[in-house]
Amino acid sequence: MTAGNDSVLQLLPMVFAAPNEALARAEELLAADPSPLHASVAHQVIGIWQRDFGDTRLALAHLRRARDQASRADSPEREADVLATLGVALVHSGRTREGLAAFERGVARGSGHTRARVLFRRAYVWWVLGRHGEALEDVRRAIPVLRQADDVIWTARALTLRATVHLALGSVERADADFSAAERLWDTTGQEHDKADAVESRGLAAFRSGDVPAALRLLDEAEERYAKLGTPTFMLTIRRCEVLMAAGLATEALAEADAATAALDGIGGQSTRRAELLLVAARAARLADEPRTSLARAALAVRLFAGQRRTWYETHARLVLLEARVATGRASGRLVADAAAVAERLAAFGAPAAPEASLLAGRIALGLGWTADAERHLAVAARSRHGGPPLARMTGWAAQALRARAAGSARGVLEACRRGLDVLDDHRMTLGASELRARATAQGAELAALAQEASLVSGGPRRLLVWSERWRATVLTAPPTRPPADPALLSGMTAFREIAARAEEARTDGGRPVPALEREQRRLEREIRSRTLHMRGGAPGDGDRFDVGRLLRRLGDDVRLVELAVLDGRVQVLLCGQGRVRRFEAGLLAEAEREAEHVQAGLRRLAHPGAEARLPLVEAAGARLQELLLGPAAAHLGSGPVVVVPPGRLHRVPWALLPALRERVLSVSPSASSWLRASDTAPPPGGRQVLVRGPGLASGGAEVTELAERYGAAGAPGTATPGVAAPVATTPGASGTGAYRGPEGRTDGTPDRAEGTPGRTGRGLGPADGYGVPGGGAGALDRPVPRPSVLEGDAARVPRVLRELDGAALAHIAAHGTFRADSPLFSSLRMADGPLIVHDLERLDRSPYRIILSCCDTARFASVGADELLGLVTALLPLGTAGVVACSAPVNDAAVVPLMLTLHKGLDAGLSLAEALRDARAALPGDAVHQATGWAFSAFGAA
């Protein structure tokens, strides 16, 4: 290869714009026996590639050869440039002293423009070492010279670095200005790697300013750009993990950090990056309630940072190490001193984490009874409550709440908790994805617990109820954010459905899906989830504050609402009704959870014939559950309807099994506020009904056939033939058979009623029709009843089903339900073309006013955050659904049919879902299979 000096030197910028091409050309250049000057460039290019994308040991070998060749060429400028590259590699390999010495020689050997580039790279190393003052000084000296030389690429890099240092020091506005200036410069270049780095940096800035969805979107965009270049993304992984933790996704952050660490070890990568990945993994493990994992990762990170002379990072790792030790029960006076020392060092660095260390020192001191020490440290931490990002302010309010508790001021505790939770509310409202909103509540769990504790001590049952509601099912209180009409997202969901259907078909045929199908399904799930996490929420607002008086007025004298709060591991029963709130103390939450699991196991057994002997055991377990969950409150429920509001960890309790609730009109709600909203929800006009039958049901979805007959048998045109399902509703051009029937049951725009044909007689649908005739009655008989849309066979495809569900008054879906504990928003109902998932339901403008889900596991949830639930039912409630009947356990398909038919008979008579379900249970045969089936279903909401 022959080329002039300029063309050879172009290999250096190429290593960032097209790294693999630069590597190939450098290797080709070396094979041609180049001059020392050209050999120096080639070895430097290979060294940079190995340093950033490969083996650090090979990088050092090539860079030392590059230095030696530059010396042979008697080129001080070339030698200075190589020494700077070598210095970066040495620091990244953990040889900090050698690296800094290389920089000293490089600064001395270079001049003018070359020295400015050396200073920029030394500034980068100072940033890596956490020495931000030195970093700012070197980059301050470099930028004017680079600008004067009209060096666009290096000026943009220097501005990006300075912005990153500003972010580390909490100066978001200065960082934004530098990032914007750098991005304008990058737009004039072809440096694709640096452009990707600019997008990554904007993601970091968005995160530091509190915009988590934008941060995730930008980091994902940067990852896509890096992937096209074949660039490893270890730094990006570290930043993404930080954002995931802020969003409450600590388990995912831990998995990503550990996977990146393993990949880095596999290529012999940079020791500095390994330490940083260990630190982020330690923080994630602590937040994921894995203190021993956190302890191990943090201890190793401390050793690595100390060996690398990276004091800033070492101090942050020591903070996580101390937090992990406290979480494993090792609190001591020595830890108070250690935490205080860490806080002082972090404050000296200007690190935003300093208040966390002061809060930790104060917490430990409080636990030891050292009130004076605790007050000193908490007062320092509390200063952060008035400024900075949301989580820093919450740290300050937590410290203030602990100060007030130590001083015996319940009022001070409640005020601090209120202010802190308001900060978190505003933060959560910026998050569009329901999963992020739910998981983010974990960050306010301590404040909520402190407030409930203060309420219990001094405020009486009403105040405890207010604070129980303040932090219960908060995701359902905010207006939902609809997923964007993103073609890539819609395409991904369609592809996911197809792959999932093929995998399910393989399972049904007695085998298991080929690994390639499973891998592609997981990939599509990650892509869908990633895109939904990019959604941004609406503007923060106060929303509706819970009003105890309004609740009691709505309950009246007959209805009782039972809200279960948990304080110090014990269930507190708040019994609301007859104009007052009373508190009763029940059993331990841990014991109730164990008993609920035993009951679930019993119901699973009873779903199969031949397990009758277990029925008395399950009933006895129900009695024990009642004692643990209701305690003495069970004797004060009166004789009217009961609404149960359990904590998230008790969502699997089959409440109808409890003796005091077995014969009652019973409904379940995630919160009292949610129940009030449901009771205020008006049904949609028109009373449109939808019946859906999915594939593969053991009973064949027999109740859908009979219900289609029942609702269609009114003498109107198109009435179903006895024993035959009503014609499938289809849209023009859609698959399926039968004439199109719109929302009002019309064909071609004409009413679905022949001249002189009366409306249906003897059966009023009541409020769910939208006709405003409570309880059915004569008023309902004079009105036309719209004929239901029946979707089955090939017509029961997800797009068609969603169109029909949108805005319906009543929907009945008989389809296999699958709950995904690992990813609750991929819980699904099986349709003809694959799974209908929670993400699909979130696209509805308005979910059905009433919906009946007649198959297994449709009422299972994942308990996340402070007290939030994710699942099929909770996806529907914020979207306009006022009542749901769903099942929390596997059930016998055949036994479901009579339960559902009797349930609909009650709805026809004008009953609510809870009333109709109570009557349907009572009408079942007394054998074990049918009894267990009835207990497994619950009514949610107030419709």
Side-chain angles (χ1 to χ4, degrees):
M1 174 178 179
T2 61
N5 288 344
D6 288 345
S7 62
V8 172
L9 289 173
Q10 285 305 308
L11 290 178
L12 287 167
M14 184 186 290
V15 79
F16 297 105
N20 291 330
E21 183 181 350
L23 175 66
R25 290 192 182 185
E27 289 173 340
E28 183 181 349
L29 177 61
L30 285 179
D33 192 22
S35 68
L37 185 69
H38 289 185
S40 172
V41 173
H43 280 296
Q44 186 179 5
V45 166
I46 297 171
I48 292 171
W49 192 96
Q50 290 290 352
R51 181 194 69 193
D52 292 348
F53 312 142
D55 191 322
T56 305
R57 290 168 296 182
L58 288 175
L60 291 173
H62 279 283
L63 292 173
R64 288 187 175 111
R65 289 177 197 165
R67 178 198 58 196
D68 295 343
Q69 293 289 344
S71 178
R72 283 182 58 198
D74 195 23
S75 171
E77 303 298 311
R78 177 96 281 279
E79 189 177 354
D81 193 75
V82 174
L83 283 166
T85 303
L86 177 60
V88 173
L90 285 166
V91 170
H92 273 313
S93 66
R95 303 176 189 185
T96 302
R97 183 178 296 174
E98 288 181 59
L100 293 176
F103 274 110
E104 286 296 322
R105 293 196 301 275
V107 171
R109 294 286 283 165
S111 62
H113 184 204
T114 300
R115 179 180 291 172
R117 289 185 172 189
V118 174
L119 287 171
F120 157 72
R121 281 175 281 185
R122 189 169 68 174
Y124 166 78
V125 161
W126 290 133
W127 171 72
V128 168
L129 296 173
R131 294 167 65 171
H132 299 114
E134 291 97 325
L136 288 175
E137 175 60 22
D138 271 353
V139 81
R140 182 190 65 79
R141 293 167 60 191
I143 287 176
V145 179
L146 295 171
R147 278 180 168 153
Q148 188 175 7
D150 199 23
D151 190 340
V152 173
I153 291 174
W154 286 77
T155 301
R157 286 174 181 165
L159 288 168
T160 301
L161 174 61
R162 188 169 69 181
T164 305
V165 176
H166 282 318
L167 278 183
L169 295 172
S171 301
V172 177
E173 291 183 3
R174 291 181 178 180
D176 281 341
D178 278 345
F179 278 138
S180 297
E183 196 163 4
R184 288 193 294 271
L185 293 176
W186 287 129
D187 286 341
T188 68
T189 74
Q191 293 293 108
E192 295 305 321
H193 181 277
D194 287 304
K195 287 180 180 179
D197 185 68
V199 174
E200 179 183 343
S201 298
R202 284 170 50 215
L204 180 61
F207 170 53
R208 293 284 189 258
S209 65
D211 193 343
V212 170
L216 288 170
R217 176 178 55 79
L218 290 165
L219 292 178
D220 284 349
E221 180 185 338
E223 187 172 28
E224 291 174 6
R225 289 171 177 254
Y226 287 134
K228 292 177 182 177
L229 299 170
T231 304
T233 55
F234 298 114
M235 191 67 231
L236 183 140
T237 295
I238 292 166
R239 289 170 171 171
R240 179 175 163 80
C241 287
E242 291 177 353
V243 180
L244 290 174
M245 285 186 281
L249 302 172
T251 301
E252 288 86 342
L254 175 59
E256 288 196 21
D258 281 349
T261 303
L264 187 70
D265 289 345
I267 63 171
Q270 299 168 355
S271 172
T272 50
R273 288 287 180 262
R274 184 168 190 269
E276 291 162 23
L277 284 165
L278 286 167
L279 173 56
V280 80
R283 290 184 56 227
R286 176 178 58 79
L287 293 173
D289 199 24
E290 296 186 29
R292 297 195 180 281
T293 300
S294 179
L295 197 65
R297 303 285 193 280
L300 183 51
V302 166
R303 290 198 296 273
L304 286 173
F305 286 131
Q308 296 162 3
R309 299 173 179 267
R310 301 171 72 187
T311 310
W312 191 86
Y313 283 99
E314 180 191 349
T315 308
H316 281 79
R318 287 192 182 280
L319 172 58
V320 181
L321 183 63
L322 291 172
E323 290 172 331
R325 285 175 176 163
V326 171
T328 55
R330 302 184 188 181
S332 67
R334 172 65 182 272
L335 287 184
V336 176
D338 288 346
V342 165
E344 288 179 9
R345 294 177 78 177
L346 289 173
F349 290 138
E356 295 178 32
S358 293
L359 177 59
L360 178 64
R363 274 206 193 99
I364 303 169
L366 275 180
L368 297 172
W370 298 1
T371 54
D373 289 310
E375 166 60 22
R376 184 173 70 256
H377 297 305
L378 292 173
V380 173
R383 294 173 193 160
S384 67
R385 68 190 187 276
H386 296 305
L391 298 184
R393 281 180 282 151
M394 283 188 58
T395 296
W397 285 116
Q400 186 68 9
L402 290 172
R403 292 178 72 196
R405 186 178 69 169
S409 171
R411 184 174 182 177
V413 171
L414 294 177
E415 174 64 11
C417 292
R418 182 185 67 79
R419 298 284 296 274
L421 292 177
D422 284 347
V423 170
L424 187 54
D425 278 346
D426 287 347
H427 169 62
R428 287 190 309 106
M429 287 299 291
T430 68
L431 307 174
S434 55
E435 179 179 5
L436 289 188
R437 287 183 176 181
R439 294 187 185 276
T441 60
Q443 294 151 351
E446 180 184 21
L447 288 170
L450 286 170
Q452 287 182 307
E453 177 189 290
S455 299
L456 181 65
V457 171
S458 64
R462 281 196 177 212
R463 179 174 285 176
L464 180 56
L465 176 63
V466 168
W467 277 100
S468 177
E469 281 293 301
R470 178 68 178 80
W471 208 241
R472 181 187 295 267
T474 59
V475 171
L476 305 184
T477 67
T481 302
R482 300 302 197 283
D486 176 359
L489 175 60
L490 296 174
S491 174
M493 292 176 73
T494 301
F496 162 76
R497 196 153 36 245
E498 179 182 348
I499 293 294
R502 288 166 58 191
E504 181 61 31
E505 184 179 357
R507 293 187 192 96
T508 304
D509 291 342
R512 62 185 302 271
V514 295
L517 278 180
E518 293 182 320
R519 286 194 300 272
E520 179 63 7
Q521 181 173 336
R522 288 194 296 270
R523 186 192 69 79
L524 289 167
E525 285 181 7
R526 288 193 299 271
E527 181 179 307
I528 292 166
R529 185 166 180 258
S530 176
R531 288 188 175 274
T532 57
L533 295 183
H534 298 168
M535 291 190 302
R536 184 168 176 80
D542 292 337
D544 293 328
R545 291 297 184 186
F546 176 66
D547 183 344
V548 177
R550 177 170 168 248
L551 172 68
L552 293 173
R553 289 191 296 274
R554 183 62 57 84
L555 292 172
D557 291 333
D558 295 330
V559 182
R560 300 288 187 275
L561 184 140
V562 178
E563 181 147 328
L564 305 183
V566 180
L567 279 80
D568 292 328
R570 186 169 290 277
V571 178
Q572 304 291 330
V573 184
L574 299 172
L575 181 59
C576 309
Q578 293 183 311
R580 58 180 176 159
V581 181
R582 290 177 286 174
R583 181 179 69 86
F584 300 87
E585 192 168 274
L588 295 174
L589 175 66
E591 292 182 14
E593 287 183 289
R594 285 194 294 271
E595 200 65 59
E597 288 301 318
H598 293 155
V599 166
Q600 284 292 327
L603 290 179
R604 285 194 294 271
R605 292 286 300 276
L606 291 175
H608 305 282
E612 288 80 2
R614 299 193 63 84
L615 183 61
L617 299 177
V618 172
E619 291 182 305
R624 290 192 296 274
L625 262 180
Q626 176 171 302
E627 184 61 29
L628 290 167
L629 296 177
L630 300 181
H636 300 272
L637 296 177
S639 58
V642 172
V643 181
V644 177
V645 179
R649 289 168 63 181
L650 294 175
H651 66 275
R652 295 202 67 193
V653 171
W655 296 97
L657 177 61
L658 276 57
L661 303 177
R662 203 169 292 174
E663 308 299 327
R664 291 180 182 275
V665 174
L666 170 66
S667 58
V668 181
S669 182
S671 67
S673 301
S674 177
W675 182 81
L676 279 171
R677 282 193 304 278
S679 63
D680 287 341
T681 301
R688 184 164 56 88
Q689 302 160 12
V690 182
L691 305 176
V692 181
R693 176 163 55 182
L697 296 169
S699 68
E703 80 268 20
V704 172
T705 300
E706 296 199 34
L707 291 172
E709 271 185 51
R710 178 188 297 174
Y711 289 139
T719 298
T721 305
V724 179
V728 173
T730 61
T731 54
S735 58
T737 58
Y740 169 60
R741 297 190 179 276
E744 301 301 329
R746 302 184 180 98
T747 36
D748 301 323
T750 58
D752 188 14
R753 183 176 61 191
E755 181 74 26
T757 302
R760 189 166 52 170
T761 58
R763 184 182 293 124
L765 286 180
D769 292 314
Y771 297 147
V773 187
L781 306 183
D782 298 330
R783 297 175 182 266
V785 176
R787 192 161 176 271
S789 296
V790 183
L791 304 177
E792 57 187 356
D794 194 52
R797 303 173 71 84
V798 171
R800 182 73 179 101
V801 170
L802 290 174
R803 286 199 298 273
E804 289 294 333
L805 291 181
D806 213 323
L810 173 66
H812 180 112
I813 302 179
H816 275 306
T818 301
F819 174 70
R820 286 279 300 276
D822 63 319
S823 192
L825 297 189
F826 283 92
S827 298
S828 63
L829 299 168
R830 185 179 169 196
M831 297 291 117
D833 57 338
L836 186 159
I837 59 177
V838 174
H839 289 298
D840 289 312
L841 295 174
E842 289 182 332
R843 304 189 70 83
L844 295 173
D845 287 332
R846 176 172 180 173
S847 55
Y849 175 71
R850 285 173 167 172
I851 186 165
I852 299 167
L853 304 170
S854 65
C855 286
C856 310
D857 288 339
T858 49
R860 288 186 64 186
F861 310 100
S863 179
V864 301
D867 198 10
E868 304 293 329
L869 296 171
L870 294 176
L872 287 166
V873 172
T874 53
L876 293 164
L877 293 177
L879 297 173
T881 293
V884 182
V885 167
C887 178
S888 64
V891 288
N892 184 287
D893 280 0
V896 169
V897 174
L899 180 74
M900 292 295 111
L901 293 175
T902 311
L903 171 67
H904 278 270
K905 184 177 180 181
L907 296 179
D908 287 358
L911 301 181
S912 69
L913 285 171
E915 291 169 329
L917 184 58
R918 186 271 313 267
D919 291 353
R921 286 195 199 99
L924 287 172
D927 62 275
V929 170
H930 285 89
Q931 290 300 302
T933 302
W935 291 330
F937 280 89
S938 297
F940 296 85

